Amino acid sequence: DQQVKQNSPSLSVQEGRISILNCDYTNSMFDYFLWYKKYPAEGPTFLISISSIKDKNEDGRFTVFLNKSAKHLSLHIVPSQPGDSAVYFCAASAWNSGGSNYKLTFGKGTLLTVNP
Amino acid sequence: DSGVTQTPKHLITATGQRVTLRCSPRSGDLSVYWYQQSLDQGLQFLIQYYNGEERAKGNILERFSAQQFPDLHSELNLSSLELGDSALYFCASSVFAGGGNEQFFGPGTRLTVL
C-alpha cells in the first residue's frame, strides 16, 4: 500500500520557467510533509517542509503548497535552474500506531531535468 | 556534506553471504535511520534507533538486523543475501526521534549481490 505517491516519474522544463512537482497521499494522519532532493551518487538532502496546519511554505525559489482536502501537495520551483536537475522525493511523517515514534514515508521520486 | 558517513561506499558479494554496513551520524544526533532504495523504488524505511534503542521498524526482513552502539554509530547486518537485496542502503540521522525532524542522509552504500 503506497501511502505517498509521485505519479510523474520525470519532468522536463526550460531554464527560467516554473517547475511543479506533485505528490498525493492517502494517510490523513500525516502531519508533516517534506521534500528532499537527490543528486546521483549522493544521499537525499532536505529541501523544504510544511506542517499539516499550513497550506503554504516558501523558501527562496521553492514553495510548497498543501491541499489537505485533496490530500495533495506540490513543490514549485521558480525560476528553475539547470542545477535544480535532480530526483525530488516527497515524504510524509506521522506517529506510529503506538504513539511512540515518527516514521517517514517516501514517494518513489520524480526526476526533474532543467534544460538550459 | 551532510555530516553523516557511511562505509563502505560499494560492496560486491555473493548470494548466501553476510555483510555489515556502517553508519556514523552527525555529531549530536541521537537518532539513526536505515533506508533501502531498490531499482524503481522509493526510499523504503527499514529501521530506526534512538540513543541506542530500537524505536521503529519498517519493511525490514528477518534476515536483516541492526544496532546502535554507545558511541551512537550504527551497523546494519544483512545475512543470507539474495539477488534481490542488491540496492542502495542509506543511513540518516536526526537530533530527535520525530516531529517533522529533518533527517540528514549519508551518501549511501551500494550493495551488489551476484
Side-chain angles (χ1 to χ4, degrees):
Chain A
D1 175 27
Q2 202 179 344
Q3 297 188 42
V4 177
K5 296 180 183 179
Q6 293 178 259
N7 292 317
S8 298
S10 63
L11 174 68
S12 183
V13 301
Q14 284 301 119
E15 181 178 5
R17 307 292 291 269
I18 184 172
S19 295
I20 300 177
L21 298 123
N22 294 303
C23 179
D24 297 297
Y25 63 95
T26 57
N27 187 349
S28 58
M29 300 305 292
F30 286 140
D31 59 356
Y32 270 96
F33 301 89
L34 306 92
W35 284 93
Y36 281 79
K37 179 168 73 172
K38 184 183 180 303
Y39 292 118
E42 295 182 12
T45 55
F46 171 77
L47 198 55
I48 191 169
S49 66
I50 186 168
S51 163
S52 62
I53 63 174
K54 296 187 175 182
D55 55 19
K56 178 182 175 181
N57 189 26
E58 193 171 351
D59 183 2
R61 296 186 297 113
F62 303 91
T63 304
V64 57
F65 296 92
L66 176 62
N67 182 334
K68 283 187 70 176
S69 61
K71 292 191 174 70
H72 176 84
L73 67 153
S74 60
L75 174 68
H76 292 212
I77 306 173
V78 183
S80 302
Q81 298 173 355
D84 296 328
S85 297
V87 176
Y88 288 79
F89 289 100
C90 169
S93 69
W95 287 102
N96 63 357
S97 57
S100 61
N101 206 5
Y102 263 67
K103 174 184 161 184
L104 261 189
T105 302
F106 283 82
K108 291 188 177 183
T110 297
L111 174 62
L112 172 66
T113 302
V114 180
N115 301 303
Chain B
D1 184 358
S2 67
V4 178
T5 60
Q6 288 186 249
T7 56
K9 285 192 174 179
H10 302 278
L11 200 48
I12 301 175
T13 188
T15 54
Q17 295 298 306
R18 172 190 168 97
V19 297
T20 297
L21 312 184
R22 183 188 168 104
C23 167
S24 292
R26 286 189 327 155
S27 176
D29 284 358
L30 299 178
S31 202
V32 169
Y33 310 78
W34 286 98
Y35 292 88
Q36 179 192 56
Q37 185 184 19
S38 303
L39 201 62
D40 296 330
Q41 294 292 319
L43 288 155
Q44 300 289 319
F45 169 69
L46 295 178
I47 197 165
Q48 179 200 0
Y49 280 81
Y50 179 75
N51 204 19
E53 292 187 5
E54 181 184 306
R55 289 297 296 266
K57 259 187 176 178
N59 303 322
I60 187 166
L61 300 171
E62 286 193 9
R63 300 183 286 108
F64 296 0
S65 65
Q67 55 184 323
Q68 186 179 28
F69 295 86
D71 67 353
L72 301 177
H73 90 271
S74 178
E75 292 181 356
L76 178 66
N77 301 297
L78 316 175
S79 62
S80 302
L81 285 168
E82 302 175 359
L83 295 177
D85 297 328
S86 295
L88 263 173
Y89 291 84
F90 288 103
C91 167
S93 72
S94 65
V95 177
F96 301 114
N101 252 299
E102 176 185 349
Q103 293 181 18
F104 295 85
F105 282 78
T109 292
R110 180 171 292 281
L111 173 66
T112 302
V113 182
L114 300 175

